[in-house]
Amino acid sequence: MKKLIAILLVALMAMSLVACGNNGGEAGEATYAIVCKDASNPYMLRMISGFEAACEALGVKSVTKSPESATVDGQITIVNELVAQGVKGIAIAANDAAALEATIQAATAQGIVVVTLDSDTKGSQMFVNQAGVEQVAQVLVDSVYDMAGGEGEFAILSASSTATNQNAWIAAMEEIIAADEKYANLTWVETVYGDDEPQKSTDEAQSLMTKYPNLKVICCPTTVGVLACAQAVQNAGSSIKVAGLGLPSEMKDYVGDDKVCPYMYLWNPIDVGNCAAYMIDALAEGKVGEIGTSFEAKNGTSYEVMAGDPAAKQIIVGPPFAFTGENIAEWAEVY
Ligand code: RAM
């Protein structure tokens, strides 16, 4: 009996050693990692939950690593660590459009699948784009136009100045405004950056209100920024309207016809995280083809592979969705 117990113990120890040492190797369970812009943004936390659920369904382990604040240096360190740990796949919401390229190439050279989600970067094998850049920019421009009554001053309160997703939306807004006479009476006074930090975003919103007494709209293409801005504008008792992209759970008290934010947009961040894990799996299995082809992920959803920038390829998860006084309470329960 003692001998049998001893044999079982040795076998158990051997199994646990394999499991520990083989974080992403063939003999152990594969691990997919998600690296967010920062560790505390509630939007990112929802992406993580979608990623984890998909990993569970796929039978792989998941790990989350994010820098304290939205900096690319922290992300470079994290990706290097994940490579050393032998993960099989990495999904990253990049804090910079280019600075991660060499790090990602080194990971890819080791056979690790690296995709971007939410915010793209050079070197990524595939950008899991939450919504089309032009579509997001168009709804933001139209929100500003509508809330300003077709003319007057507006400002942008963005995330960090190097965030690829916000910068792409802002650049597309500039093009849309320049291309259509309809927007000729709108004056874009300034773009400021709250770095997806609540306090910095509040400070920037307050500065805009002081600096531009005729400001009609502040447009915030960031969930952290839009909440801080809505609170700052409401606390100031200002008549400025707030437009942008927000989490319904955070914005429920501020959205509605007679509120500081008449309506806003977003997409489901849980779906974005979910989709990124299925994308890693499909790429690892060599199921994703060239631009112009489509493929079916294991969750049954079909995606079209499109040209991307800065990643060479992208897929789009879904269109931006409008939240109004009518539907905000219902969606606040979801995300
Ligand atoms: C913030 C982040 C994120 C962005 C959303 C809309 O939470 O900047 O990257 O996609 O806003």
Side-chain angles (χ1 to χ4, degrees):
M1 185 64 186
K2 268 193 187 151
K3 204 172 163 195
L4 185 64
I5 292 174
I7 291 171
L8 280 173
L9 272 176
V10 170
L12 267 176
M13 276 169 68
M15 277 166 64
S16 65
L17 274 181
V18 169
C20 294
N22 236 325
N23 201 11
E26 290 302 318
E29 202 181 358
T31 301
Y32 292 173
I34 179 166
V35 182
C36 292
K37 279 180 163 178
D38 68 68
S40 52
N41 179 342
Y43 174 95
M44 299 285 145
L45 301 182
R46 283 159 180 81
M47 273 195 332
I48 294 167
S49 73
F51 187 83
E52 286 173 344
C55 286
E56 209 183 317
L58 287 164
V60 298
K61 287 200 337 191
S62 63
V63 59
T64 303
K65 295 266 185 239
S66 307
E68 274 312 304
S69 57
T71 66
V72 75
D73 289 352
Q75 291 190 319
I76 291 172
T77 309
I78 287 170
V79 172
N80 284 329
E81 284 166 5
L82 291 169
V83 171
Q85 285 164 20
V87 300
K88 287 285 187 199
I90 300 174
I92 181 164
N95 283 324
D96 188 282
L100 278 146
E101 189 180 15
T103 315
I104 291 178
Q105 277 168 352
T108 315
Q110 300 215 25
I112 299 169
V113 175
V114 183
V115 303
T116 27
L117 79 168
D118 181 61
S119 186
D120 198 12
T121 196
K122 267 192 189 155
S124 157
Q125 278 166 261
M126 176 72 71
F127 177 35
V128 176
N129 194 350
Q130 53 272 59
V133 169
E134 282 73 25
Q135 272 179 301
V136 175
Q138 187 69 58
V139 297
L140 293 177
V141 168
D142 286 335
S143 304
V144 170
Y145 179 84
D146 174 38
M147 291 180 203
E151 46 98 36
E153 294 182 356
F154 77 97
I156 301 275
L157 166 51
S158 190
S160 81
S161 62
T162 61
T164 325
N165 53 339
Q166 273 89 14
N167 286 349
W169 298 327
I170 291 170
M173 286 177 77
E174 276 168 9
E175 281 177 24
I176 290 167
I177 289 175
D180 195 336
E181 267 299 302
K182 176 183 172 191
Y183 306 117
N185 294 328
L186 288 176
T187 308
W188 187 331
V189 292
E190 198 175 345
T191 300
V192 297
Y193 300 92
D195 294 343
D196 274 348
E197 285 174 19
Q199 189 55 55
K200 176 139 199 284
S201 305
T202 304
D203 294 347
E204 293 294 345
Q206 281 165 348
S207 303
L208 285 173
M209 285 189 273
T210 316
K211 201 165 162 190
Y212 302 102
N214 298 321
L215 200 58
K216 285 188 162 174
V217 180
I218 303 178
C219 176
C220 312
T222 139
T223 57
V224 178
V226 82
L227 176 63
C229 189
Q231 288 167 337
V233 168
Q234 181 157 305
N235 290 344
S238 162
S239 63
I240 289 173
K241 293 293 174 200
V242 176
L245 307 172
L247 276 173
S249 53
E250 294 190 322
M251 288 290 288
K252 59 180 188 304
D253 294 340
Y254 304 97
V255 172
D257 280 347
D258 51 351
K259 305 257 175 83
V260 59
C261 174
Y263 54 91
M264 62 169 200
Y265 292 84
L266 201 71
W267 40 82
N268 188 333
I270 306 166
D271 285 350
V272 179
N274 203 270
C275 183
Y278 281 106
M279 179 55 73
I280 293 175
D281 172 77
L283 285 164
E285 293 193 349
K287 287 193 181 140
V288 183
E290 291 311 309
I291 293 162
T293 62
S294 59
F295 72 98
E296 193 181 307
K298 275 194 195 147
N299 62 356
T301 313
S302 287
Y303 296 102
E304 193 195 330
V305 181
M306 292 182 286
D309 179 27
K313 295 176 183 175
Q314 66 169 330
I315 57 133
I316 291 177
V317 180
F321 182 82
F323 299 97
T324 64
E326 299 285 301
N327 65 7
I328 189 89
E330 178 193 332
W331 281 99
E333 304 288 320
V334 189
Y335 54 90

